[in-house]
Amino acid sequence: MMSLHDDRWKPRLLECEIPASNPKSLQISKPKKVNLRPHFLLLKFAFLPGFKYPVAKTGLPLWMLGLDADRLRADLNRLLAFLFHQGILDEQYLQLQQLQDESSPNFVSEVVNIYFHESEKLLRNLRSLLMDREFSDYDKMGIHLNQFIGSSSSIGAKRVRNVCVAFRAASDQNNRAGCLRALELLEHEYCILKNKLHELFQIEQQRLLAAGVRYPMLN
């Protein structure tokens, strides 16, 4: 009977390179010092005694990760349906997705991250203007809001865009109290959008990795 301390119980480690642009391409190699190529992801797997299939870092056999990819795809579709049903996103987001392909696999997340960066600057500028007790430059506020409306429309951020439109209406009427209420609502809606899109991108990233290890290993 083998002892648990017997070397035969030790897992045999393997390393896996998956091109970030094509996670379906899988290559497994023996353990070695790896100089990871640009745009490649490195995964580690192990063959455990008594297991016919290699085990991923999650502890699951690789063939089970294919099932995980299907579950993640279903999770992704459910979340997207929720975001559309709640009016958080509109069809412009789908048009943005259609521009993403194998040559630019991160196109949507890159565009959205630029949107987040610019939006947070606009939010800071709007709050700074309204916190000034002597504030009277509603034209400047209108310029910021027009930028926010345009960028939100371009990624399909429907609810954020609608709040910006109401905010601009209050600004056009020089309604400071209305602008303060609109700013609070805008910050709230922006926070919801950012959290949900980060969740969406995280599921998509997990799905791509899970889908990639479904394919046969190369010797």
Side-chain angles (χ1 to χ4, degrees):
M1 181 175 179
M2 285 195 298
S3 165
L4 290 178
H5 300 289
D6 194 305
D7 285 345
R8 285 173 291 176
W9 281 99
K10 292 182 180 179
R12 293 186 290 114
L13 295 177
L14 297 176
E15 290 172 343
C16 166
E17 277 192 355
I18 300 181
S21 61
N22 183 16
K24 293 182 179 180
S25 175
L26 182 68
Q27 294 181 357
I28 299 278
S29 61
K30 294 181 180 179
K32 60 183 179 180
K33 185 176 179 181
V34 176
N35 294 319
L36 196 59
R37 288 173 283 175
H39 311 300
F40 274 70
L41 305 171
L42 181 65
L43 300 180
K44 291 188 177 181
F45 301 94
F47 280 94
L48 298 176
F51 285 80
K52 182 178 179 181
Y53 300 99
V55 175
K57 189 177 179 182
T58 59
L60 295 174
L62 293 188
W63 66 267
M64 289 184 66
L65 293 181
L67 302 176
D68 198 46
D70 293 336
R71 180 186 61 78
L72 289 166
R73 181 186 291 278
D75 290 346
L76 192 70
N77 290 336
R78 275 194 295 270
L79 180 54
L80 265 176
F82 171 80
L83 296 178
F84 282 103
H85 182 262
Q86 295 294 314
I88 296 172
L89 295 178
D90 63 21
E91 64 280 355
Q92 180 60 32
Y93 185 81
L94 296 179
Q95 293 182 28
L96 196 65
Q97 283 186 316
Q98 291 174 3
L99 298 176
Q100 183 166 290
D101 56 25
E102 290 184 359
S103 65
S104 54
N106 301 315
F107 176 77
V108 175
S109 61
E110 288 171 357
V111 169
V112 169
N113 281 328
I114 292 170
Y115 167 79
F116 287 154
H117 179 72
E118 295 302 317
S119 295
E120 283 163 22
K121 286 199 298 186
L122 289 170
L123 284 170
R124 286 194 297 270
N125 290 339
L126 290 167
R127 180 159 286 282
S128 177
L129 286 171
L130 283 170
M131 292 301 103
D132 183 353
R133 292 184 178 181
E134 299 180 359
F135 168 70
S136 61
D137 194 351
Y138 286 95
D139 289 339
K140 187 174 184 179
M141 179 172 287
I143 292 171
H144 290 325
L145 288 168
N146 285 337
Q147 291 175 349
F148 218 150
I149 290 169
S151 60
S152 299
S153 297
S154 70
I155 69 158
K158 183 179 179 179
R159 275 198 346 210
V160 168
R161 177 194 175 280
N162 289 346
V163 174
C164 286
V165 170
F167 195 161
R168 187 176 61 184
S171 176
D172 290 343
Q173 296 171 5
N174 295 357
N175 182 348
R176 184 187 180 92
C179 287
L180 284 168
R181 288 193 297 271
L183 176 60
E184 289 182 4
L185 181 57
L186 178 57
E187 289 173 334
H188 175 71
E189 288 295 340
Y190 172 77
C191 186
I192 291 173
L193 174 72
K194 186 173 183 179
N195 289 339
K196 290 299 181 184
L197 287 180
H198 275 161
E199 183 181 351
L200 194 73
F201 296 147
Q202 188 175 40
I203 295 173
E204 174 64 9
Q205 199 170 46
Q206 292 171 352
R207 185 191 69 79
L208 290 174
L209 286 174
V213 296
R214 295 175 67 179
Y215 288 79
M217 296 177 294
L218 302 178
N219 294 325

